[in-house]
Every structure is written in structure tokens, then in C-alpha cells.
Amino acid sequence: VKLLIIEDEPSECEAYENYIAQQKHIDLIGCTGSCDEALSLTKELRPNAIILDLYSISNYIIEKYRKQANKVDSFRQLF
């Protein structure tokens, strides 16, 4: 299994890496804290599985919406 990790905390990423290194059938192909890099790595490396830090991805989405909000008349953050 080719695995990609999306995690913005370096210590968490290192913990995953240490655990996965002990697994025989898992090949860690990347670990990134950047959502943009994660999209690029996904297209390039084609992982079979992804471990995703939902908190970091939700912040990424909120920031994208904030940038879009500058282009519209009103915007309210719901979460």
C-alpha cells in the first residue's frame, strides 16, 4: 500500500513515520503539511491511501473561502 500523510504538525508526522516504518506492507511515499503540496503529490505519486489531518484541511478551506469573500458583497464564517 502506498501511503501519503497530510499533517501540519511535524512531531505528528514523525510519529506516523516511525510507526509505519515497522509495517511490512505499507510504503510511506510522502508526508506534507501543505494542502497544495498534498494535491500535487497525490497527482504525481498516486497513493492507495491517505492519512488526513482534518483540522489542517479545514483551515485551508476556510482560508480559501476568506479569499473568495473579498470578491463578493458579504461573507459569514459558519464554523
Side-chain angles (χ1 to χ4, degrees), residues 31-74:
C31 188
T32 181
S34 161
C35 292
D36 289 326
E37 184 179 8
L39 290 172
S40 177
L41 288 173
T42 300
K43 290 177 186 175
E44 178 186 338
L45 302 175
R46 312 273 301 167
N48 303 106
I50 297 174
I51 294 177
L52 173 64
D53 175 3
L54 291 177
Y55 185 73
S56 64
I57 195 78
S58 65
N59 286 337
Y60 174 81
I61 292 168
I62 289 169
E63 187 58 33
K64 290 286 187 185
Y65 278 116
R66 283 189 179 142
K67 288 179 181 177
Q68 289 295 319
N70 293 333
K71 299 177 185 176
V72 297
D73 293 331
S74 65

Side-chain angles (χ1 to χ4, degrees), residues 1-47:
V1 174
K2 296 188 310 184
L3 177 67
L4 174 65
I5 298 173
I6 305 168
E7 171 59 66
D8 61 340
E9 290 293 328
S11 62
E12 293 292 322
C13 198
E14 185 177 335
Y16 280 124
E17 289 172 344
N18 291 335
Y19 177 76
I20 291 165
Q22 301 171 21
Q23 309 309 308
K24 295 179 182 177
H25 302 292
I26 300 175
D27 180 22
L28 181 60
I29 58 173
C31 188
T32 181
S34 161
C35 292
D36 289 326
E37 184 179 8
L39 290 172
S40 177
L41 288 173
T42 300
K43 290 177 186 175
E44 178 186 338
L45 302 175
R46 312 273 301 167

